[in-house]
C-alpha cells in the first residue's frame, strides 16, 4: 500500500499536522479580524505564492479562454470563495476540533451530489447508508440538547454548508476537460476565490478598520497563507500524484485528531464525548461509502480509482483531465 512507504507516510503526517493546526490559527485570528476578510487576506497571499510557484515550474501557467476559464471560475467561487467564507464564519462559534470534524464530512456528501448532477455516477445501498450515517454524525457532534457547542449550532450549520459548497464545486468541476496543469489551475482558483471572498466581505460590511493587528495575528495569517495554504496545497498534490485520491482523502480523518489535540494544548478547548462519538459515526459512514476502495487498498489489489492515465503525459483527478507539470 503506497501510503505506508516512507516518503508518503511523512508527507501524509506533515499534511495532517499542517491542516489540523490551521484550525487553531483560524480560531486565534478570529478574535482580531473579521471572518471573511481574514479568509480573503489569507488567500491573497496564498494565491501569490502558488501562482509564483506555478509560473516557475509549469510549461504553461495561464488559462486559456473556454473550459479552462470556466473551470477556474467554478472552482474558485465554490471551492475557495464560498467555502472559506462559510468556514471562517462558522469557526467563530465552535472549537477547532468540531470545525475539523464537520468538514471531514466533505468526502461523504460529495457522492450523492455527483449522483444527482452527473449522468455516469451511481450510489449503492451501502453508499446511501454511509451518507445517512455521516449526517447522523454531524447531528451527534452538534448535540442540540447538550452543552458541547455552547450554543454553537449555528457554527455547525455554517460549517456543514461550507462542506456542501466544496463538494458541489468538486462535482461541477468534473465536467471540464482541460490542458492546463493541476498546480496552475488550482493557483488561479485560489486567486478567483480571494476576489470572491473580498466581494462577500465588502457586501457584509466588514472593514480593515475593525481589525486589531499584533505580531501574533500577523504570524498566524502568514502561517495560514504560506504554510497551511500554499504549503499544504503542494503537500496534498504531491501525495495525490503518488498515491491517488482514495488514499490521499484519508487525511480528512487524521486532521480532526490533530485539531483536537492542538486546540486542547494551545487554546484550552475541551473534547467532549459527543464530539468523539460524532466523529466515529462520520468515519463509519465514510467507510461504508468507500467500502470497495478501502477493501482494495487493504488487500493491495488494484482499486477502482478516480485517478487514471489519460494519455499524452496527462492525469485524471476526480474526473478532471490535467497535464502533468514539468519537473
Amino acid at each position: 500500500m503506497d501510503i505506508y512507504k516512507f516518503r508518503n507516510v511523512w508527507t501524509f503526517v506533515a499534511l495532517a499536522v499542517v491542516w489540523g493546526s490551521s484550525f487553531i490559527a483560524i480560531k486565534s485570528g478570529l478574535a482580531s479580524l473579521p471572518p471573511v476578510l481574514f479568509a480573503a487576506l489569507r488567500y491573497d497571499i496564498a494565491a501569490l505564492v502558488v501562482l509564483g510557484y506555478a509560473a516557475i515550474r509549469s510549461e504553461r501557467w495561464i488559462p486559456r479562454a473556454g473550459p479552462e476559464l470556466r473551470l477556474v471560475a467554478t472552482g474558485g467561487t465554490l471551492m475557495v470563495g464560498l467555502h472559506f467564507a462559510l468556514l471562517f464564519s462558522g469557526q467563530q462559534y465552535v472549537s477547532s476540533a468540531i470545525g475539523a470534524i464537520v468538514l471531514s464530512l466533505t468526502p461523504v456528501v460529495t457522492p450523492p451530489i455527483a449522483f444527482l448532477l452527473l449522468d455516469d455516477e451511481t450510489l449503492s445501498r451501502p453508499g446511501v447508508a454511509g451518507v445517512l450515517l455521516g449526517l447522523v454524525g454531524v447531528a451527534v457532534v452538534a448535540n442540540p440538547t447538550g452543552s458541547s457547542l455552547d450554543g454553537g449550532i449555528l457554527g455547525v450549520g455554517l460549517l456543514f454548508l461550507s462542506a456542501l459548497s466544496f463538494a458541489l464545486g468538486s462535482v461541477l468541476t468534473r465536467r471540464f476537460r482541460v490542458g492546463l496543469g493541476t498546480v496552475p489551475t488550482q493557483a488561479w482558483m485560489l486567486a478567483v476565490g480571494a476576489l470572491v471572498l473580498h466581494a462577500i466581505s465588502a457586501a457584509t460590511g466588514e472593514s480593515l478598520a475593525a481589525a486589531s493587528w499584533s505580531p501574533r495575528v500577523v504570524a498566524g495569517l502568514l502561517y495560514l497563507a504560506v504554510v497551511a495554504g500554499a504549503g499544504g496545497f503542494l503537500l496534498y498534490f504531491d501525495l495525490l500524484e503518488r498515491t491517488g485520491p482514495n488514499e490521499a482523502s484519508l487525511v480528512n480523518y487524521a486532521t480532526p485528531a490533530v485539531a483536537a489535540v492542538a486546540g486542547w494544548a494551545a487554546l484550552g478547548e475541551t473534547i467532549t464525548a459527543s464530539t468523539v462519538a460524532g466523529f466515529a459515526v462520520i468515519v463509519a459512514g465514510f467507510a461504508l461509502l468507500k467500502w470497495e476502495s478501502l477493501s482494495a487498498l487493504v488487500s493491495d489489489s488494484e482499486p477502482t480509482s478516480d485517478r487514471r492515465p489519460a494519455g499524452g503525459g496527462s492525469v485524471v483527478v476526480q474526473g478532471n483531465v490535467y497535464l502533468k507539470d514539468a519537473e
Side-chain angles (χ1 to χ4, degrees):
M1 188 158 48
D2 282 347
I3 202 168
Y4 294 116
K5 292 180 180 178
F6 186 77
R7 180 184 170 186
N8 293 354
V9 170
W10 285 110
T11 303
F12 185 92
V13 170
L15 184 59
V17 169
V18 164
W19 279 356
S21 61
S22 71
F23 284 89
I24 65 169
I26 293 171
K27 192 71 176 174
S28 298
L30 287 171
S32 304
L33 296 170
V36 183
L37 181 59
F38 184 14
L41 293 173
R42 173 190 182 179
Y43 283 98
D44 286 339
I45 300 169
L48 287 174
V49 172
V50 181
L51 278 172
Y53 179 85
I56 294 170
R57 294 297 303 273
S58 303
E59 292 181 358
R60 180 172 70 87
W61 64 281
I62 297 177
R64 295 169 180 162
E68 291 181 356
L69 288 179
R70 291 195 293 272
L71 171 62
V72 165
T74 301
T77 299
L78 292 173
M79 300 173 72
V80 180
L82 186 57
H83 169 62
F84 283 104
L86 291 165
L87 189 161
F88 276 61
S89 297
Q91 194 63 62
Q92 297 175 102
Y93 306 102
V94 301
S95 69
S96 305
I98 289 172
I101 287 170
V102 176
L103 287 177
S104 73
L105 189 68
T106 302
V108 177
V109 297
T110 301
I113 294 175
F115 174 73
L116 292 173
L117 298 182
L118 301 179
D119 295 334
D120 59 346
E121 293 291 326
T122 60
L123 193 61
S124 64
R125 289 183 179 179
V128 172
V131 172
L132 294 176
L133 262 183
L135 297 176
V136 170
V138 171
V140 173
V141 170
N143 190 20
T145 60
S147 59
S148 65
L149 295 187
D150 296 326
I153 296 174
L154 173 61
V156 170
L158 290 170
L159 287 160
F160 178 67
L161 291 175
S162 175
L164 285 178
S165 177
F166 191 93
L168 177 61
S170 69
V171 169
L172 292 179
T173 55
R174 293 186 195 183
R175 300 174 180 224
F176 300 99
R177 296 292 183 267
V178 300
L180 190 65
T182 307
V183 171
T185 297
Q186 300 297 325
W188 285 106
M189 285 184 183
L190 295 180
V192 169
L195 292 175
V196 172
L197 285 163
H198 278 291
I200 295 173
S201 176
T204 55
E206 293 183 347
S207 170
L208 271 175
S212 175
W213 294 99
S214 69
R216 181 178 179 180
V217 172
V218 173
L221 177 60
L222 291 175
Y223 178 81
L224 285 170
V226 179
V227 180
F233 160 83
L234 295 174
L235 281 173
Y236 176 75
F237 275 95
D238 180 55
L239 189 67
L240 183 68
E241 177 70 19
R242 287 180 289 106
T243 68
N246 287 323
E247 294 180 55
S249 68
L250 295 178
V251 76
N252 289 285
Y253 299 97
T255 298
V258 175
V261 172
W264 168 76
L267 304 176
E269 296 176 343
T270 58
I271 305 171
T272 66
S274 62
T275 300
V276 175
F279 179 54
V281 174
I282 291 173
V283 172
F286 174 81
L288 268 178
L289 191 66
K290 297 291 186 180
W291 182 255
E292 181 181 349
S293 296
L294 292 174
S295 297
L297 290 175
V298 171
S299 65
D300 253 354
S301 61
E302 189 68 28
T304 301
S305 174
D306 289 329
R307 179 179 178 274
R308 58 192 181 275
S314 60
V315 65
V316 178
V317 179
Q318 293 297 321
N320 295 323
V321 179
Y322 303 101
L323 292 181
K324 290 184 180 179
D325 295 311
E327 293 298 328

